[in-house]
Amino acid sequence: MNAASNPTLPLVACLIATVIPVFFGKLAVAPTWLSLQALALGWIALNKHHALDFHTLEAGLEVLIIRAWLVPHLLRRTLQGTRAAALDVMPSNLFAWGVAVALIILAFQFGDGARADVRALTLGVIAATVTMAFLVLATNREPVAQLVALLFMENALALFESLMPEPWPLPVHLAISGVYVGTVAVGSWLIRGQLASGILAPKPIEDDS
């Protein structure tokens, strides 16, 4: 089986694009990780459908235009000029890391035998993504970090579709895409409002002279 048709590789890529930013990533780089998650979702869709039918084309366009470009672009613009851009996605301390590792292990209990079953591995990746998103929501009070966590959860919802015997109809896809864009649009509007009021503005450099 070649790499292009191996169903486990995009799942591993999606998991990596979730775990690395939570453990080591800065908020300024979060849009890039969201783009990588989206590309992994597109890869999963291609592996599942093989033939280039209407649903595959629609899902590919949604991934490329909305999830891989538009939403990360809007988030990147929102992060410009904020002090939050230099902060970690999740606080870098041993307690938070220990909780994260324990949650990932627990999440993969939903996918027992994941090494042998793609559906089980998919459930494990979905559960790990959702638990990491909840952990970020619980440990980071920065509005940008909480927005990123919500977008992670919505990507997990999109991954859930790959477990369905039949793809969701077009109206459902449009609704999910609308919620995804609406999440970053409303979140960005609120963050910019705080930025305008000086809450999230960069701290001025003190002159020691």
Side-chain angles (χ1 to χ4, degrees), residues 7-8 10 20 27 35 39 50 52 68 81-82 86 109 114 116 122 155 162 168 170 189 191 194 203 205:
T8 63
I20 289 182
L27 286 171
S35 295
L39 294 176
H50 301 292
L52 187 61
T82 65
Q109 296 304 310
T122 304
N155 278 340
S162 65
W168 287 326
L170 181 59
W189 175 68
I191 291 167
Q194 291 183 324
K203 294 181 179 180
I205 299 175

Side-chain angles (χ1 to χ4, degrees), residues 96-109:
W97 283 18
V99 172
V101 171
L103 287 175
I104 292 173
I105 294 173
L106 180 62
F108 273 90
Q109 296 304 310

Side-chain angles (χ1 to χ4, degrees), residues 1-206:
M1 181 181 294
N2 57 41
S5 59
N6 189 339
T8 63
L9 289 181
L11 288 169
V12 172
C14 190
L15 180 63
I16 290 173
T18 299
V19 171
I20 289 182
V22 170
F23 279 89
F24 307 108
K26 301 291 185 181
L27 286 171
V29 193
T32 301
W33 290 110
L34 284 168
S35 295
L36 293 176
Q37 282 183 8
L39 294 176
L41 290 173
W43 189 1
I44 291 168
L46 287 176
N47 277 344
K48 181 179 179 181
H49 298 288
H50 301 292
L52 187 61
D53 55 10
F54 173 77
H55 178 267
T56 305
L57 182 61
E58 182 271 331
L61 288 175
E62 184 216 6
V63 165
L64 291 176
I65 297 175
I66 295 178
R67 295 183 184 270
W69 176 76
L70 177 61
V71 167
H73 174 70
L74 293 175
L75 182 60
R76 192 174 288 110
R77 288 186 57 187
T78 301
L79 281 163
Q80 290 178 353
T82 65
R83 61 177 176 82
L87 300 179
D88 296 325
V89 175
M90 184 180 71
S92 297
N93 58 68
L94 289 179
F95 176 77
W97 283 18
V99 172
V101 171
L103 287 175
I104 292 173
I105 294 173
L106 180 62
F108 273 90
Q109 296 304 310
F110 291 101
D112 189 26
R115 294 182 180 180
D117 183 20
V118 173
R119 287 179 60 85
L121 179 59
T122 304
L123 280 174
V125 174
I126 293 171
T129 302
V130 172
T131 54
M132 290 300 96
F134 276 120
L135 182 60
V136 172
L137 288 172
T139 58
N140 197 332
R141 298 177 61 185
E142 287 291 336
V144 180
Q146 297 193 352
L147 176 58
V148 169
L150 291 176
L151 295 174
F152 274 28
M153 280 196 283
E154 293 188 27
N155 278 340
L157 176 62
L159 178 58
F160 181 77
E161 185 190 5
S162 65
L163 295 174
M164 307 295 289
E166 295 292 334
W168 287 326
L170 181 59
V172 176
H173 267 289
L174 293 176
I176 293 174
S177 298
V179 170
Y180 194 63
V181 175
T183 299
V184 73
V186 173
S188 298
W189 175 68
L190 293 173
I191 291 167
R192 287 174 183 170
Q194 291 183 324
L195 181 61
S197 63
I199 298 177
L200 299 179
K203 294 181 179 180
I205 299 175
E206 296 181 358

